[in-house]
Amino acid sequence: MLLVIVSLLIINVFISRLILNIYVEQRKSNVLIRANIVANETKNYLTTNAMSNINSIAEEYSKEISGRIIVVDRTGVVRGDSNKEYLGSTFRHTEIQYALKGQTSANIYNFKDYGHVLYVSVPAIFHNRIVGAILISVSINDIYREVSHINQNLYLISAVSIVLIAFISFIFLDFTFRPLESFTKAIDGMTKGDFKQKVEINTNDEFKNMADAFNAMIMKLDQVDKQRNDFVANVSHELRTPISSIKLLSDSLLHQNEDNISIYREFMEDISAEADRLNNIIYELLALVDLDKEKLHINYKTTYMNFLLEKIVNRMRPLAEKKNIKLTLEQDERIQIKVDSEKIQQAIINIIDNAIKYTSEYGKVQVKLYSQSKWCVIEVKDNGIGIPENRLSQIFDRFYRVDKARSRKTGGTGLGLSISQQIVSLHQGIIEVESVVDKGSIFYIKIPNDINL
Ligand code: ADP
């Protein structure tokens, strides 16, 4: 609005100046023409000093232009005055002085009593000699009145335009920015912790796109909030179980009356096992939190996957041998890819560890390395207990275990697969699984050959 008002003001001032100039210039040239005519008609008489003729010419033209005409001879003595006031006296007006020197002049004066007056003077020249001068004074108050009238109209039009623009802008802005209210309401709700907000916008413009993006963001935040709550609930639950066991076992010990060292030993072994479990859970939780934090700090190095797998399998072999499980590694080609070897090692260990854990004694765990189109594949196949098909989609969830009791016995925390999946997806890879209950499972860790860094 301020911009509109300032622009209109500037335009008004400019237009009124322009009109005034045009009117004044027009009047000046009109009066100049008359002055030259008077000069022409009086030049003869000025040489002979025929005052009455000069005066009557002055009177005649003064009526025509509604102004005063003074004619002086070359000495400055007034020979004709349409008002008859200065006849015979010497006139020393500036414009007359100029005219007697041969110059034409036209100036505007602003008098307190008369207002704006235009003074025009021209020399009267006869046979190339200045024989006198003509001075015409005309009131141009009518021009100023006219321009001020035009000005008034201009300001009136401007005022009406401003009101109209203000009104239209208000309606337009109100209409345009009304959708923002829905955003503000939704954001307020979210600030209070309500992630069920939705911004409803039915227009088909940028606001609609923004509302869609905003709603998607709220949905994601709602999911994250839910996941966070579930995670905290799960962690508390998981931590509480071993602590309860430790508490129960130690209370039983305290209330033991017998001094049976073997009972003490048995209870203490159980307490120690529970403490190990607690330690395991905390260790894996910290690993998960670290992975969340370190998303951007992956230390990629070109690595021979063959050597890495040999190292892992050799490390895991004693664990497999404890259960008389045959752990083998098969690799037909050399594969070199960019990975964070520490992290990827952790992911593979978790999966081989599971294969050993969930396979009965004298079973088989086969690890294979090969490349398949754009992937480097690490296949871990066991002939263990398998996973029911309807559970396959959940095994990567945090704390999910198909058989809680069994998993607890084997020391599982339910975090291993979710850690592995997170590491592999940080490498832009995927983990796939195929399984048949009581027959066994195959896990495929697929890492891109050519990772986009
Ligand atoms: P856990 O610490 O319990 O092993 P994981 O996240 O590693 O947790 O695995 C989740 C669940 O998936 C396990 O509890 C188990 O029920 C199932 N699972 C994982 N790997 C295998 C496998 N090779 N054979 C059978 N079940 C498996």
Side-chain angles (χ1 to χ4, degrees):
M1 287 308 298
L2 202 70
L3 206 70
V4 170
I5 292 172
V6 170
S7 318
L8 280 173
L9 267 177
I10 292 172
I11 291 171
N12 283 358
V13 169
F14 178 76
I15 292 178
S16 76
R17 281 277 165 90
L18 195 74
I19 293 173
L20 183 71
N21 266 354
I22 292 172
Y23 275 143
V24 168
E25 286 307 316
Q26 212 172 22
R27 184 66 60 88
K28 262 187 198 170
S29 67
N30 252 344
V31 175
L32 256 171
I33 291 169
R34 302 286 162 220
N36 279 321
I37 294 173
V38 173
N40 213 26
E41 289 190 13
T42 53
K43 63 184 181 198
N44 267 333
Y45 303 122
L46 277 168
T47 50
T48 57
N49 277 346
M51 220 153 70
S52 63
N53 289 343
I54 295 172
N55 210 41
S56 61
I57 292 169
E59 273 176 10
E60 185 194 329
Y61 280 99
S62 102
K63 273 186 213 131
E64 203 181 290
I65 57 167
S66 317
R68 185 174 183 176
I69 299 180
I70 290 172
V71 184
V72 298
D73 64 16
R74 65 188 164 82
T75 59
V77 175
V78 178
R79 298 293 172 198
D81 179 359
S82 57
N83 281 12
K84 296 199 182 68
E85 196 183 340
Y86 297 127
L87 280 174
S89 55
T90 306
F91 207 66
R92 301 210 181 278
H93 203 281
T94 330
E95 269 75 20
I96 290 284
Q97 302 296 329
Y98 278 126
L100 286 177
K101 283 181 196 147
Q103 287 170 11
T104 297
S105 64
N107 295 312
I108 295 166
Y109 295 93
N110 189 5
F111 297 110
K112 219 172 154 203
D113 299 337
Y114 306 109
H116 292 91
V117 181
L118 170 68
Y119 277 57
V120 170
S121 67
V122 294
I125 297 168
F126 188 59
H127 290 308
N128 285 335
R129 238 169 23 92
I130 297 169
V131 290
I134 320 298
L135 174 71
I136 300 183
S137 62
V138 192
S139 164
I140 51 168
N141 282 334
D142 57 328
I143 293 180
Y144 279 85
R145 264 200 304 277
E146 181 67 20
V147 171
S148 116
H149 183 65
I150 291 172
N151 255 351
Q152 273 173 12
N153 284 342
L154 276 176
Y155 282 111
L156 190 74
I157 292 168
S158 305
V160 171
S161 318
I162 287 167
V163 171
L164 255 169
I165 291 170
F167 183 67
I168 293 168
S169 317
F170 181 76
I171 290 177
F172 177 73
L173 291 181
D174 186 51
F175 177 76
T176 312
F177 291 112
R178 194 167 298 159
L180 285 183
E181 275 175 30
S182 328
F183 282 102
T184 315
K185 226 174 92 193
I187 292 169
D188 280 349
M190 283 170 68
T191 315
K192 288 178 192 133
D194 178 5
F195 291 103
K196 294 271 174 278
Q197 304 283 324
K198 212 166 176 203
V199 179
E200 302 274 5
I201 285 173
N202 301 319
T203 51
N204 210 0
D205 53 10
E206 280 80 0
F207 279 120
K208 169 97 178 104
N209 297 343
M210 201 170 143
D212 289 346
F214 192 79
N215 289 339
M217 182 189 78
I218 304 178
M219 228 162 78
K220 185 79 202 166
L221 280 176
D222 190 32
Q223 264 175 16
V224 171
D225 192 49
K226 237 205 237 114
Q227 274 172 3
R228 189 180 54 95
N229 284 339
D230 287 353
F231 186 63
V232 171
N234 279 337
V235 169
S236 320
H237 179 78
E238 294 299 326
L239 292 180
R240 196 166 333 121
T241 320
I243 289 174
S244 307
S245 302
I246 291 173
K247 170 84 179 141
L248 202 77
L249 289 162
S250 47
D251 279 355
S252 315
L253 274 182
L254 280 175
H255 295 113
Q256 269 298 332
N257 292 326
E258 298 173 38
D259 280 345
N260 190 340
I261 189 92
S262 67
I263 291 181
Y264 272 85
R265 181 172 287 280
E266 193 189 323
F267 275 38
M268 286 312 286
E269 274 170 5
D270 286 346
I271 288 175
S272 167
E274 289 299 329
D276 282 346
R277 233 172 86 68
L278 208 55
N279 210 23
N280 262 353
I281 295 175
I282 291 169
Y283 174 81
E284 296 205 329
L285 272 176
L286 287 176
L288 264 178
V289 173
D290 277 353
L291 279 178
D292 275 345
K293 257 194 326 205
E294 280 182 28
K295 266 185 188 151
L296 300 171
H297 298 104
I298 304 228
N299 189 13
Y300 287 107
K301 271 204 187 103
T302 307
T303 310
Y304 269 115
M305 291 307 284
N306 312 65
F307 297 147
L308 191 74
L309 273 180
E310 274 165 22
K311 200 171 92 183
I312 295 171
V313 168
N314 287 337
R315 224 176 97 183
M316 306 287 295
R317 196 158 278 126
L319 199 71
E321 279 167 0
K322 253 197 206 167
K323 283 178 81 180
N324 290 313
I325 289 172
K326 201 170 162 214
L327 175 62
T328 57
L329 171 63
E330 203 178 297
Q331 40 178 332
D332 299 331
E333 49 189 319
R334 280 184 178 273
I335 299 179
Q336 203 183 25
I337 53 171
K338 279 204 178 91
V339 287
D340 183 323
S341 61
E342 284 296 316
K343 290 198 174 70
I344 220 72
Q345 185 171 321
Q346 182 63 51
I348 299 169
I349 286 177
N350 284 354
I351 286 171
I352 299 180
D353 186 48
N354 276 349
I356 297 170
K357 252 191 329 199
Y358 299 106
T359 300
S360 342
E361 286 210 353
Y362 299 102
K364 260 196 309 191
V365 174
Q366 293 164 289
V367 182
K368 266 192 214 167
L369 171 71
Y370 52 87
S371 59
Q372 190 182 68
S373 65
K374 64 168 194 160
W375 302 111
C376 156
V377 186
I378 298 129
E379 183 186 307
V380 179
K381 182 176 171 185
D382 66 57
N383 60 352
I385 59 166
I387 304 160
E389 203 177 338
N390 59 350
R391 305 294 176 86
L392 282 177
S393 60
Q394 287 156 286
I395 56 170
F396 293 98
D397 292 349
R398 290 170 182 187
F399 294 115
Y400 185 81
R401 282 159 295 196
V402 175
D403 180 346
K404 272 200 180 208
R406 182 182 197 132
S407 180
R408 185 154 296 140
K409 244 188 277 158
T410 55
T413 59
L415 292 170
L417 280 184
S418 88
I419 291 176
S420 297
Q421 196 186 41
Q422 196 147 345
I423 293 172
V424 172
S425 74
L426 280 179
H427 285 77
Q428 295 157 29
I430 46 173
I431 302 181
E432 287 170 352
V433 54
E434 288 166 7
S435 188
V436 179
V437 175
D438 291 334
K439 286 256 151 59
S441 319
I442 312 176
F443 282 79
Y444 302 93
I445 304 173
K446 297 185 168 182
I447 307 163
N449 286 329
D450 200 5
I451 206 159
N452 273 334
L453 296 181

